[in-house]
Structure formats: C-alpha cells, structure tokens
Amino acid sequence: MAALRLFADRGCPFAHRVLALMDHLGLQCETSMSPIGEHPEGLSSFSPSGRIPLLVHDDLVIGESRVILEHLSEAHGFADAYPDDLRRRTLHRQAMALVDAFIAPRVFREDGPGSEARVSECLDLIAEVATGPAVPSLFAFHVAPMWIRLQWWRPDSLVTHAIRKRSALATWLDAAATLAPVARTAVNV
Ligand SMILES: N[C@@H](CCC(=O)N[C@@H](CS)C(=O)NCC(=O)O)C(=O)O
C-alpha cells in the first residue's frame, strides 16, 4: 500500500473536499491537521508557501484540491467519481471549474470575481449538474464544503441569496452537505 500523507486545516473548504472523499473511500492516511489560520507541522518542507490542502503520495506532491480528488479517485477506483456519459462528465468538470473560479472566492470575500450576471450564469450551469439525488461524486464533494461555508460565513451574501432563490439547487446542495462523508468530516466553527 502506497504511503499517503495529507496536510489540512480544520476550516479549509478545499481540504474538506479531500477529507470527505477519503472518508467515502475508506482511505487511511497520515493527516497533519492544524487549527484555522495555522500551518500544519511539516508542511513547509513540501510547500514553503503553506499550500493547503496538500497530498503527498509516495514522492508525488499535489497541492490542488480538484487534482487531489481526481488522483485519489483514479488510484482507488472510485467508479462514481464522474458520470459515465461524456456530456454529463464534461458538465460536472465545467461546474467544478466554475465553483472554483466564481463561487469559492466569495466564501472568503463577499466581492469576489465576476459580476452579478456572471455569477448568475455560473449558477445556472451548476444547477444543470446538481439534479437528481445527491449521491457521492467528485462534484458533490467539491461543492458541498463551499455551500456549508457560504452559509456559515456569508449568510447574507449575493451568492448565498442567489443560490437560495434557486430552490432546486439549494435543496440539492443541502442534500450534498448532509451526505455522510461530508457531514462526518465537517467541523463546527
Ligand atoms: N485552489 C486551491 C485553493 C486552496 C486554498 O486557497 N487554500 C487556502 C486555505 S483554505 C490556503 O492554502 N491558503 C494559504 C495559507 O493558508 O497560507 C485548491 O483547490 O486546493
């Protein structure tokens, strides 16, 4: 069994994605976890700038959560990572990219990138993916930690309200946020 080591921070939504996937796959991993705002011990030898999350898999260092999710899924045969259908798979990947480009920054800063119109267009695309039952998938593990933190940290932000107004999307995201691997790896802050 290859050695896995994860550096994470208790509040980080990007790290939460990885923890949720690992929980779902039942992966054992040496995890160095720090309180919010601090760097886990040993991280600087792999990332002097303090990137979190950071996964070390043998001699491979991965410091981008979406890539970590894909790497672990491929390494451990997560068959439901993405839909089988190419069109749906591409839409999932596109929605994940949009979450990172336009939604994730607004978890940290209310006035993140993108106009109201651009955010609305992104939510339309994300809503196209967030249909049917919320089951474990890379998209669910990718977006749920952001939705949880938007509600904690930005309950009255433009993007939080825009999501709530799309009731089918909000319902789907609520269900994704309560998936067992997401809930088990969430923190109370
Ligand atoms: N695009 C990165 C973003 C990761 C990120 O911004 N992580 C924050 C913590 S939530 C971070 O490392 N901040 C720098 C620091 O804490 O020094 C990913 O998806 O992994």
Side-chain angles (χ1 to χ4, degrees), residues 8-9 11-18 34 36-40 43 47-54 62-68 100 104 108 142 146 149 153:
D9 158 329
C12 175
F14 305 97
H16 188 184
R17 293 171 170 171
V18 178
S34 65
I36 296 172
E38 290 178 26
H39 287 166
L43 174 64
S47 168
S49 70
R51 272 173 91 90
I52 293 171
L54 190 118
I62 317 170
E64 196 58 44
S65 62
R66 188 144 55 106
V67 180
I68 297 173
D100 279 351
F108 297 97
H142 186 90
M146 294 299 162
R149 283 159 183 81
W153 298 335

